Amino acid sequence: MTHDIWIVTCVLLATIIAFVLDRFRLDVVAFVSLLSLLLTGILTPTEATAGFSNSLVLMIAGLFVVGGAILESGVADLAGRWLGRVGGTSTTRLTVTVMLASALLSAFLSSTGTVAVMLPVVLSLCRRAEVAPSKLLIPLAFAASLGGMLTLIGTPPNMVVNQELRDAGLEVFQFFSFAPAGILMLTLGIVFMCTIGTRLLPKQGTGAEDATQFQGFVSRPELIHSYGVGGQIREIRLPHGSTFAGRTLRDLELRTTFHVNVLAVSTPGARGPVVRKCNPDTLLQPGDTLFIKSSNEEATTNLIRQGQMELVASPASLPKEVHLAELIIPPRSEFVGRTVRDIDFFRMYGAMVLALQDRNKPVRTRTSDTPLGPGDTLLVAANASALKRLRKSRNNVLLVSEQEEQRESPLTPAARWVVVILIGMLVAMSTGIVANVTAVLVAAALMVIVGAFRGSNAYQSINWESIVMIASVMPLATALEKTGALDLVVGAIVERPGLTSPRTLLLLLFAVTSLLSQAISNTATSVLIAPLALELSDQLAVSPYPLLMGVALAASTAFSTPVASPINALVTGAGGYRFGDFLKVGVPLQFLILIATLSIVPYLFPFNP
């Protein structure tokens, strides 16, 4: 091997290892790899930056905006809540309904966005039907992955293999070219989960002991009981003569001095008690009632004694203006590894964190000083405006349960326009009236124009980590081809007669892609494997379409580990799953998809060019 091939190989291996270890952000790892190839002279500046101007990257960015508009406008939420009317109470019927709805949404939305929308809905269905969440959440996640097989925009790997064909000057896949194979895979997935899969999934009591957790819309007592904070919430009054009267909460420093959090302040009024906005500048007056939370009973006693206050009730009856909600930390949240104090959660959202659970186990140490991890859940107290902010913060915190009284209409005034624009984009892409990237970018611009969300929120809806990662990994594939490393791999395969059979080649590509997708991003995997598939098809005079279709399908089979994809990690905590649960259910399903791929893909896309 040449010196350049050694450099590219080392960079590739280092990148894959860093992806697998997952100790650094994916975009940082990919960008450092790109810089390594640029500084070593393997790539020219033009080649190194080509990914950032690639139409595929622009289209994925536009689809993030379109998907964000669908979420912000409430269209996706409305579609999800429709399940409540058709799901029934049978576990089998619920599984079929949830998987069909999840797959349909993920055919047009990102799989992570789909699960973010569906998770609260499914948990609410579990509560109503008295079904363990562990029976439905893995099917939800798997269906979101399978739904990506249905359309061109269902998942980035589909667009990656399509771009590979376009760059080679070949006829590209059409919008619904993936649908025939995708429908078969989805059908297999549903049948498997309703028969064998449901028996392999953990039952209630193996990670979902508390039936009151993760239930969509629940009563206030249920939320308080599930986190065990009922006895920690108290109601105290400032009588005339209290030493705390006439002072602000900032002056009193209740949190640092007495380890007490003030949830609300109620002041007597002519028409009844008035609950005031609680912040550091809130001025306490004689006759005020404070609703406080503290796990230290002695500290609360000292507070009452020093402030010459009166204990009214313990546990307290919180005023209706104080709403309780349950949040889950998504895998790629910026809050992972940080504490509530570091985040300054109250300043950011106006919500007070009452309790924290790590994979369904209460954290006994001080909540504000405990680093947050993926799948951790928070119980918060908030007012109505804070709840709205929390609902929109899907990237960092996902609201999965809130008290029953807080139901609200999910649709915004722009929802009707969002549906029209979405349909127009899909028609344009499926008919080929304009280029796919043009249709997506126009739709993204129109979403902002019609007010689906403000322009700044449109930028926030883009997953920049994914965009930078994809744009940085694409030149790595260029380096493999430029240095001859790709030809070296192709030559090694071609020289082995046992691997040159088209069906064996499809099996090999599927296996490698599927295996890598369990550990690293399926987009990065497809960016690396798609050029190999195309080169092999050229060397062996085999049609590239079945091989590239096999790569795309394999990239959507991230079933076997909780870290195989963000959506698996997202349901792990809510379902109380363990690593082995994904192995037991995921591995058999992957083999089924492999067998189906070897059977149906050559029929739909013959090997003969």
Side-chain angles (χ1 to χ4, degrees):
M1 290 194 296
T2 66
H3 180 261
D4 287 349
I5 292 179
W6 276 112
I7 292 176
V8 172
T9 303
C10 290
V11 170
L12 175 60
L13 291 177
T15 302
I16 293 175
I17 291 172
F19 280 159
V20 172
L21 294 177
D22 199 26
R23 293 183 179 178
F24 307 99
R25 287 170 54 109
L26 297 180
D27 53 344
V28 173
V29 172
F31 194 71
V32 169
S33 301
L34 176 63
L35 287 179
S36 301
L37 296 173
L38 178 61
L39 294 175
T40 54
I42 301 297
L43 294 177
T44 65
T46 301
E47 292 170 335
T49 57
F52 292 91
S53 60
N54 192 284
S55 61
L56 170 64
V57 175
L58 296 176
M59 185 163 67
I60 292 175
L63 287 171
F64 275 124
V65 176
V66 173
I70 295 171
L71 295 174
E72 287 283 333
S73 63
V75 173
D77 287 300
L78 183 65
R81 301 199 190 289
W82 173 76
L83 291 177
R85 298 194 295 270
V86 300
T89 58
S90 163
T91 302
T92 300
R93 182 177 173 183
L94 282 171
T95 300
V96 173
T97 306
V98 165
M99 293 188 72
L100 284 175
S102 177
L104 182 61
L105 281 176
S106 67
F108 306 105
L109 287 176
S110 72
S111 56
T112 305
T114 295
V115 175
V117 168
M118 293 287 294
L119 184 57
V121 178
V122 173
L123 294 171
S124 184
L125 288 177
C126 290
R127 172 175 176 259
R128 178 177 58 81
E130 298 183 353
V131 173
S134 58
K135 290 295 185 182
L136 290 181
L137 292 185
I138 276 183
L140 167 66
F142 287 5
S145 294
L146 292 168
M149 301 178 181
L150 296 174
T151 66
L152 175 64
I153 63 173
T155 183
N158 294 359
M159 292 181 277
V160 168
V161 299
N162 213 43
Q163 186 68 32
E164 199 67 31
L165 290 170
R166 181 177 286 107
D167 292 343
L170 300 173
E171 184 180 349
V172 298
F173 289 120
Q174 299 304 309
F175 190 81
F176 288 110
S177 295
F178 299 85
I183 291 172
L184 173 62
M185 306 308 171
L186 176 61
T187 303
L188 278 176
I190 293 175
V191 172
F192 173 78
M193 294 307 304
C194 290
T195 53
I196 300 173
T198 190
R199 299 180 182 181
L200 298 175
L201 290 171
K203 299 179 181 178
Q204 187 158 344
T206 59
E209 292 89 351
D210 193 341
T212 64
Q213 272 198 250
F214 305 113
Q215 295 176 340
F217 293 100
V218 298
S219 68
R220 178 179 292 181
E222 285 177 321
L223 281 173
I224 291 176
H225 171 74
S226 65
Y227 280 82
V229 297
Q232 302 174 14
I233 300 177
R234 298 173 176 86
E235 184 177 349
I236 58 178
R237 182 178 295 118
L238 274 72
H240 289 277
S242 169
T243 57
F244 287 174
R247 302 175 66 182
T248 65
L249 294 178
R250 178 183 285 107
D251 294 337
L252 296 174
E253 297 182 339
L254 300 184
R255 183 182 302 177
T256 56
T257 305
F258 299 98
H259 307 296
V260 166
N261 289 319
V262 180
L263 307 181
V265 177
S266 176
T267 300
R271 298 183 179 180
V274 177
V275 177
R276 291 187 285 149
K277 186 176 181 180
C278 186
N279 57 47
D281 296 322
T282 300
L283 182 67
L284 301 183
Q285 304 170 5
D288 281 353
T289 297
L290 273 63
F291 297 88
I292 64 172
K293 187 266 178 183
S294 176
S295 58
N296 191 325
E297 188 171 349
E298 183 178 352
T300 305
T301 302
N302 290 335
L303 169 67
I304 294 173
R305 183 178 64 252
Q306 292 188 30
Q308 299 177 5
M309 306 169 78
E310 301 172 351
L311 179 63
V312 179
S314 179
S317 176
L318 290 172
K320 67 180 187 309
E321 290 84 357
V322 178
H323 310 297
L324 299 183
E326 191 172 23
L327 313 173
I328 190 169
I329 304 296
R332 296 297 178 189
S333 170
E334 295 178 0
F335 298 162
V336 171
R338 302 169 63 189
T339 67
V340 172
R341 188 189 305 277
D342 294 337
I343 298 166
D344 202 349
F345 201 89
F346 182 79
R347 183 183 296 274
M348 180 174 291
Y349 294 108
M352 184 74 67
V353 177
L354 303 183
L356 167 65
Q357 289 192 349
D358 178 5
R359 303 297 174 92
N360 298 342
K361 295 180 180 179
V363 173
R364 301 300 181 186
T365 57
R366 292 186 62 182
T367 300
S368 58
D369 296 326
T370 303
L372 300 175
D376 287 355
T377 58
L378 306 173
L379 178 66
V380 300
N383 57 24
S385 61
L387 275 182
K388 289 182 180 179
R389 287 194 291 273
L390 289 169
R391 289 191 188 99
K392 294 180 179 180
S393 184
R394 296 180 189 267
N395 291 332
N396 289 323
V397 290
L398 177 61
L399 189 130
V400 292
S401 299
E402 50 186 308
Q403 61 191 52
E404 191 77 33
E405 297 83 356
Q406 281 307 292
R407 294 177 187 261
E408 65 173 27
S409 175
L411 292 180
T412 67
R416 189 174 303 173
W417 286 110
V418 168
V419 174
V420 172
I421 295 169
L422 175 63
I423 293 174
M425 183 192 79
L426 298 179
V427 169
M429 295 183 74
S430 59
T431 58
I433 298 175
V434 294
N436 288 337
V437 65
T438 303
V440 171
L441 293 180
V442 169
L446 289 175
M447 292 295 187
V448 177
I449 292 172
V450 301
F453 41 35
R454 293 187 296 274
S456 60
N457 287 343
Y459 284 112
Q460 294 171 11
S461 68
I462 299 175
N463 188 328
W464 292 106
E465 180 182 1
S466 296
I467 295 299
V468 174
M469 186 271 292
I470 296 170
S472 299
V473 168
M474 292 181 76
L476 181 55
T478 302
L480 290 170
E481 184 175 357
K482 179 180 179 181
T483 60
L486 185 62
D487 291 334
L488 198 64
V489 175
V490 171
I493 295 175
V494 171
E495 290 174 2
R496 292 180 176 271
L499 298 179
T500 55
S501 164
R503 200 174 294 272
T504 302
L505 200 56
L506 178 59
L507 169 62
L508 177 64
L509 290 170
F510 187 102
V512 172
T513 304
S514 184
L515 182 62
L516 284 177
S517 294
Q518 307 310 307
I520 68 175
S521 160
N522 62 356
T523 305
T525 299
S526 57
V527 167
L528 296 174
I529 302 299
L532 175 61
L534 188 63
E535 186 66 22
L536 283 170
S537 69
D538 184 56
Q539 291 289 327
L540 299 174
V542 174
S543 171
Y545 298 101
L547 300 184
L548 289 173
M549 179 61 68
V551 170
L553 294 176
S556 293
T557 59
F559 302 139
S560 296
T561 70
V563 296
S565 71
I567 55 177
N568 289 4
L570 195 59
V571 302
T572 297
Y577 297 118
R578 299 177 179 177
F579 194 96
D581 295 325
F582 285 90
L583 280 176
K584 287 190 296 184
V585 182
V587 171
L589 182 56
Q590 279 181 247
F591 274 111
L592 276 178
I593 300 297
L594 169 59
I595 294 170
T597 299
L598 295 176
S599 302
I600 190 68
V601 168
Y603 174 77
L604 296 172
F605 303 94
F607 287 118
N608 296 325

